[in-house]
């Protein structure tokens, strides 16, 4: 029942992500503008350029905050990652590899041959 619930939650999160692709793109674009404004504000030397880049960063930050559906899309992506990790989908447990033994050891070769003969 737990797997069913996780699968249902994953399907709902996937549909939400598909519905939020446009707002996620807008969120990415506005966050890039805010990042560029902060980056160039730090690198600028003159007061005028600092004011201009601060205004660009503030506009990008306000646009990012105003893009609420994009934030819901980010929450849905985080939920889908959680469901994938918690559900353990598609992972196959492999048997541990046998330790490598020395092929020249006569006792190991004897044990291997004895096991083959007794089968």
């Amino acid at each position: 029942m737990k797997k069913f619930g996780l699968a249902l939650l994953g399907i709902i999160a996937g549909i939400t992500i598909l519905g939020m692709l446009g707002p996620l793109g807008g969120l990415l674009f506005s966050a890039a503008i805010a990042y560029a404004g902060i980056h160039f504000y730090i690198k600028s030397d003159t007061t005028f350029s600092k004011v201009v880049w601060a205004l660009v960063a503030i506009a990008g930050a306000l646009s990012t905050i105003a893009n609420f559906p994009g934030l819901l899309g980010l929450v849905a992506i985080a939920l889908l990652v959680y469901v994938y990790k918690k559900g353990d989908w598609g992972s196959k447990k492999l048997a541990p590899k046998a330790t490598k033994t020395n092929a020249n050891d006569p006792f190991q070769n004897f044990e291997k041959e004895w096991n083959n003969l007794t089968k």
Side-chain angles (χ1 to χ4, degrees):
M1 193 67 177
K2 181 180 175 183
K3 287 269 192 185
F4 177 73
L6 285 174
L8 186 63
L9 193 62
I11 289 170
I12 291 171
I15 291 171
T16 304
I17 292 168
L18 289 176
M20 297 293 168
L21 281 178
L24 278 171
L27 180 68
L28 178 69
F29 184 72
S30 60
I33 290 174
Y35 175 76
I38 292 169
H39 176 76
F40 288 116
Y41 173 81
I42 292 171
K43 287 193 169 213
S44 62
D45 293 330
T46 64
T47 305
F48 177 73
S49 63
K50 282 194 180 277
V51 169
V52 168
W53 288 117
L55 290 175
V56 168
I58 290 170
L62 289 176
S63 176
T64 301
I65 292 169
N67 198 349
F68 186 72
L71 295 175
L72 289 177
L74 284 179
V75 170
I77 289 173
L79 186 63
L80 191 63
V81 168
Y82 170 77
V83 166
Y84 182 76
K85 294 210 185 234
K86 188 74 172 178
D88 199 28
W89 307 106
S91 68
K92 295 179 181 177
K93 308 254 183 206
L94 298 175
K97 292 184 178 179
T99 59
K100 199 172 193 179
T101 60
N102 190 359
N104 295 330
D105 187 12
F107 295 107
Q108 291 294 328
N109 287 334
F110 175 77
E111 291 292 330
K112 186 174 78 170
E113 290 298 322
W114 184 259
N115 287 333
N116 287 338
L117 288 174
T118 58
K119 284 185 183 181

